[in-house]
Amino acid sequence: MLTLIEKTVFVLLALAAVFLAMREFRRKALLIQRGRPFQRSDRPLVRFWYALRRVVLQLCAYENRPVVGFFHSMIFWGFLVYLLVTINHVVEGFFSGFNLLGQGGIRTVVLFGANIFAGMILLAAVFFLVRRYVFRPSTLDIPSMESAVILGFISTLMLSFVFYEALKLYGPETMVSGNFLAVWVKAHWLPAIMSKATQEVWLRVLWWLHILVVMAFGVLIPFSKHLHLVAGPVNLFFKNHGVRAEIPVVDLEEQEYFGTPKIVDLTRKDLLDLFSCAECGRCDDVCPALRTGKALSPKALLHKMQLHLLEIGETPRDDLKTLLGEVVSEEEIWACTTCGACMEVCPMFNEHIPKITGMRQYGVMMESRFPEELQTLFRGLENQGNPWGINAQERSKWMEGLDVPLIADKGETDVLLWVGCEGAYDSHAQKHTRMLVEVLKKAGVDFAILGDSEKCCGDPARRAGHEYLFQILAMENIENLNSYKFRRIVTMCPHGLHVLRHEYQRMGGEYAVMHYTQLLEELVNNGSLRLHAGTKSHRVTFHDPCYLGRYQGEYDAPRRLLRAAVKDGCLVEMTHNRDKSFCCGAGGGGMWKEEEGEGRMSHARIQDACARGADTLVTACPYCSVMFKDAIEETGSNDIQTRDLIHFIHKNMT
């Protein structure tokens, strides 16, 4: 069909498009290589299969937004079909009358699929046009011209294919099985008769239109946010399959700087995240900081860092902007509670929290820039081993009159109960600690505590960026723990659970660690602990603590215990539950600093519970329990109370 000149023009344009695209891909690859190396090449086949499965099945698109995901998947799967169609399109232009698909069943199936997807993709284009320009969600930015261009490209590709196939029906192929859209277009949109010369002109015009749009789209990908089509699958391959939001152990003696002062101090995986972001806004949808009027937007955070990365070129490290303050504001960094909601919903598994904690480490350890209220936290941890600076010798006062065994006296025990700072010092949480001790005694558990020698696990220091203080506390605790014999550690606090189970392991402290709800469920299952449903008809709802749910994946043990301890039908779920739970605001050092913004996260959570008609908000975390108690007092909510789960277990054990 094409003349020699047209074939030459096609080859030159194709080479130019490939050159422009590859040059930009190379530029961005070199920018990523400026980051620090990272090691995530273990189990390559498992990683490859995981990434392939999520991409091909479009699991990343369907999660959390099924309707949007459906239309996204239609475009993706349609483009896979149209990859074959476009290759055949090129062949037809170079070799008139030749068809890669042949003239039989394969061609019929492919054309039928192409017609189906052409219709679905056009419908998807209309859906996204309306969603972006008419009924735009708050988490989507004002659409740029780029979005309109992409939607225009997609629509043009589909229409050019359908009309091209319809024009071919004027020739010998008056009917091709499976080409139903082309038949419909010819019948309703094209004249009944068309001369061969006119047909050939329009075939050539549509052939070129289709090819030029394909080339333009290919060039646009590396220059736009649609780079995630290429970077995203690579990012999925390098997904962190280990500890969530892991903070690397810093070599305090050898490292020249702490945290991530400059963009090139991030890992290459961190920089790959910036190009993998699809700007879908899922992270903003669930961020408790953003939803309560704070400065932080997880999506904007990555976008700011991406724009900065694109500016640096080959600029020497020392001449680059400092991330904290010059690229990202301090208000944004300190608004994060490290709840993990953003990372939970990100379809590309971008890792926001390590970037934030890296900037916090730099601010705290190298610049002494942090919220003033945290000074009390750091001083208390350093001097007394607890966040409030209360005398360390008073850590065991909560157990007066209970005859709680000390491991120093026993020498060996099955369960070492890690009380934690809240459970030892806070008057509200102390009640729950005493209840747990009485439950363990009732169930005949062989347990003991460290007593006054227990220190803060270090979680608030580490999440607030004070790695030096964390390591001091961790090493003292590990040395203390390693001097005793026990089979497992049981914690009241999910934050302590995470640190002792995962982070101490990186420092030589390998222990079997579980949350108290997991132990109590075990005791119920083996008959050591018996529960009966309470007689009072509470309407209770359970709040999933971030560090028990999203960080440890434990959602069921607390619910099974609660169902056993309340009357049937009394447990209701909040809208945001399990992995979509809404943070109380205490994590990431939030417990010890003033919460800024229009609203408070704990107040929002109380409203969630009230909206479900609950009169009791139950949790299994001392941080959450204290935050909700304060929120109820601050808001004057007389129609709801908060209880730790241990309250129901203690009250209803037989």
Side-chain angles (χ1 to χ4, degrees):
M1 183 178 75
L2 299 181
T3 65
L4 179 60
I5 293 177
E6 286 178 310
K7 291 177 182 178
T8 304
V9 170
F10 169 83
V11 171
L12 292 175
L13 288 175
L15 290 174
V18 170
F19 171 77
L20 290 173
M22 294 307 296
R23 185 178 65 175
E24 186 62 15
F25 277 126
R26 180 178 180 275
R27 184 174 83 91
K28 287 177 175 165
L30 290 174
L31 288 174
I32 291 172
Q33 285 185 328
R34 291 202 63 182
R36 292 186 294 107
F38 69 102
Q39 292 296 327
R40 280 196 195 162
S41 55
D42 58 304
R43 301 177 299 162
L45 291 179
V46 174
R47 288 182 173 277
F48 176 78
W49 173 248
Y50 178 84
L52 182 67
R53 176 174 168 272
R54 286 191 64 85
V55 171
V56 172
L57 297 181
Q58 284 291 280
L59 300 178
C60 45
Y62 273 99
E63 290 169 348
N64 303 298
R65 292 180 183 174
V67 176
V68 173
F70 171 76
F71 286 111
H72 264 296
S73 62
M74 288 299 104
I75 292 176
F76 174 79
W77 292 328
F79 267 66
L80 292 182
V81 173
Y82 274 90
L83 179 62
L84 179 59
V85 169
T86 299
I87 293 173
N88 187 63
H89 196 65
V90 173
V91 171
E92 282 185 332
F94 274 73
F95 307 100
S96 184
F98 181 77
N99 196 302
L100 279 178
L101 305 175
Q103 302 298 328
I106 294 178
R107 185 185 184 192
T108 298
V109 170
V110 172
L111 282 177
F112 181 76
N115 277 256
I116 289 287
F117 279 112
M120 294 306 300
I121 290 172
L122 286 170
L123 184 62
V126 173
F127 171 81
F128 287 118
L129 185 69
V130 172
R131 184 172 183 267
R132 288 182 178 276
Y133 292 91
V134 182
F135 302 109
R136 181 171 55 86
S138 60
T139 50
L140 281 181
D141 296 329
I142 297 174
S144 62
M145 182 59 68
E146 177 188 304
S147 299
V149 169
I150 292 297
L151 289 174
F153 278 178
I154 291 172
S155 301
T156 302
L157 285 174
M158 297 306 104
L159 291 172
S160 63
F161 161 76
V162 172
F163 276 85
Y164 180 81
E165 291 296 320
L167 284 165
K168 286 163 63 177
L169 298 179
Y170 285 103
E173 300 177 355
T174 55
M175 180 64 182
V176 177
S177 181
N179 223 354
F180 61 90
L181 267 184
V183 172
W184 184 86
V185 166
K186 180 177 182 291
H188 294 84
W189 290 80
L190 296 178
I193 300 174
M194 182 180 292
S195 68
K196 185 173 180 59
T198 303
Q199 178 204 24
E200 289 181 353
V201 169
W202 278 109
L203 281 174
R204 183 171 270 102
V205 168
L206 290 172
W207 189 94
W208 275 107
L209 178 62
H210 189 89
I211 292 300
L212 290 174
V213 170
V214 169
M215 290 181 181
F217 189 51
V219 171
L220 182 61
I221 285 175
F223 287 91
S224 70
K225 71 174 186 178
H226 291 82
L227 180 59
H228 76 267
L229 296 172
V230 178
V234 179
N235 212 34
L236 292 177
F237 178 86
F238 290 114
K239 175 187 182 292
N240 177 14
H241 290 281
V243 180
R244 178 178 291 272
E246 183 173 13
I247 301 174
V249 177
V250 175
D251 188 334
L252 297 173
E253 295 183 358
E254 298 296 329
Q255 202 148 321
E256 296 180 9
Y257 56 85
F258 302 114
T260 51
K262 311 286 187 177
I263 190 80
V264 295
D265 298 324
L266 293 166
T267 68
R268 291 170 184 170
K269 170 62 171 65
D270 286 321
L271 300 184
L272 180 61
D273 283 352
L274 307 183
F275 293 126
S276 300
C277 179
E279 299 181 24
C280 64
R282 284 175 171 84
C283 52
D284 281 358
D285 284 342
V286 299
C287 177
L290 182 64
R291 304 327 295 171
T292 53
K294 313 294 187 293
L296 176 64
S297 157
K299 183 178 76 169
L301 175 81
L302 296 190
H303 187 58
K304 288 179 180 180
M305 297 174 77
Q306 183 203 79
L307 292 178
H308 173 55
L309 179 62
L310 291 172
E311 293 173 348
I312 68 171
E314 298 180 359
T315 305
R317 178 189 179 279
D318 292 344
D319 295 334
L320 296 175
K321 292 179 181 178
T322 300
L323 287 177
L324 183 62
E326 293 187 296
V327 177
V328 181
S329 72
E330 294 186 40
E331 290 77 13
E332 290 173 273
I333 294 306
W334 288 107
C336 179
T337 64
T338 69
C339 72
C342 54
M343 292 172 56
E344 184 73 29
V345 300
C346 179
M348 300 302 176
F349 293 113
N350 291 332
E351 299 170 29
H352 309 72
I353 295 174
K355 298 172 183 59
I356 290 173
T357 53
M359 284 184 270
R360 285 183 177 183
Q361 281 183 2
Y362 166 74
V364 171
M365 299 178 67
M366 297 192 70
E367 296 286 334
S368 295
R369 290 161 54 191
F370 50 84
E372 186 178 351
E373 309 96 295
L374 293 183
Q375 190 68 257
T376 302
L377 167 68
F378 295 150
R379 189 183 301 115
L381 291 173
E382 184 175 2
N383 295 333
Q384 298 293 342
N386 66 79
W388 304 277
I390 301 172
N391 192 325
Q393 302 305 312
E394 297 182 17
R395 182 175 279 271
S396 300
K397 286 186 68 175
W398 63 269
M399 68 180 194
E400 290 178 355
L402 277 182
D403 189 26
V404 181
L406 297 174
I407 194 169
D409 297 332
K410 291 185 66 174
E412 186 174 350
T413 188
D414 175 31
V415 170
L416 177 63
L417 177 61
W418 185 274
V419 177
C421 296
E422 289 285 343
Y425 290 107
D426 184 87
S427 59
H428 178 70
Q430 283 175 347
K431 300 173 187 176
H432 304 143
T433 310
R434 293 176 66 89
M435 289 179 187
L436 177 59
V437 166
E438 291 176 358
V439 170
L440 295 180
K441 285 186 173 184
K442 177 80 172 180
V445 176
D446 175 25
F447 77 99
I449 66 170
L450 287 170
D452 290 343
S453 67
E454 179 185 304
K455 292 180 181 290
C456 178
C457 67
D459 167 81
R462 193 168 216 207
R463 265 73 208 169
H466 206 321
E467 180 71 10
Y468 173 75
L469 186 52
F470 163 75
Q471 290 196 22
I472 289 177
L473 292 166
M475 293 310 298
E476 289 179 356
N477 281 326
I478 290 171
E479 183 179 1
N480 192 19
L481 290 168
N482 288 347
S483 65
Y484 298 111
K485 291 183 179 180
F486 51 86
R487 190 163 70 91
R488 49 191 173 168
I489 298 174
V490 172
T491 72
M492 288 283 290
C493 177
H495 295 259
L497 169 67
H498 178 74
V499 171
L500 270 67
R501 176 185 283 177
H502 298 297
E503 299 188 345
Y504 279 16
Q505 189 179 67
R506 301 289 190 271
M507 303 176 69
E510 297 192 24
Y511 315 109
V513 190
M514 62 196 309
H515 189 249
Y516 86 85
T517 57
Q518 296 170 321
L519 174 64
L520 296 189
E521 184 185 33
E522 177 187 306
L523 296 175
V524 169
N525 291 339
N526 66 25
S528 300
L529 178 64
R530 292 182 173 84
L531 301 175
H532 67 85
T535 56
K536 190 173 180 180
S537 296
H538 286 288
R539 188 170 173 84
V540 303
T541 188
F542 184 73
H543 163 79
D544 292 278
C546 304
Y547 275 73
L548 183 61
R550 281 188 286 266
Y551 275 77
Q552 308 302 321
E554 182 58 81
Y555 301 104
D556 297 322
R559 284 176 170 79
R560 284 192 284 260
L561 287 171
L562 193 54
R563 288 192 182 97
V566 299
K567 293 179 66 175
D568 288 343
C570 288
L571 177 61
V572 296
E573 292 285 4
M574 285 184 279
T575 304
H576 302 99
N577 63 77
R578 301 179 76 88
D579 60 338
K580 297 177 179 62
S581 182
F582 194 88
C583 181
C584 73
M591 173 75 84
W592 292 275
K593 69 180 186 68
E594 187 63 31
E595 187 173 345
E596 300 175 351
E598 301 168 0
R600 292 181 179 271
M601 300 177 203
S602 55
H603 294 188
R605 197 55 166 156
I606 294 295
Q607 292 171 3
D608 285 348
C610 291
R612 295 292 291 141
D615 59 39
T616 306
L617 175 57
V618 182
T619 187
C621 170
Y623 280 21
C624 299
S625 186
V626 170
M627 293 295 283
F628 294 146
K629 178 184 74 71
D630 292 345
I632 290 172
E633 293 173 356
E634 291 161 359
T635 58
S637 302
N638 298 319
D639 50 354
I640 193 168
Q641 61 181 345
T642 184
R643 292 283 186 268
D644 191 282
L645 177 57
I646 192 61
H647 171 88
F648 289 91
I649 305 301
H650 181 266
K651 183 179 179 180
N652 297 318
M653 62 181 177
T654 60

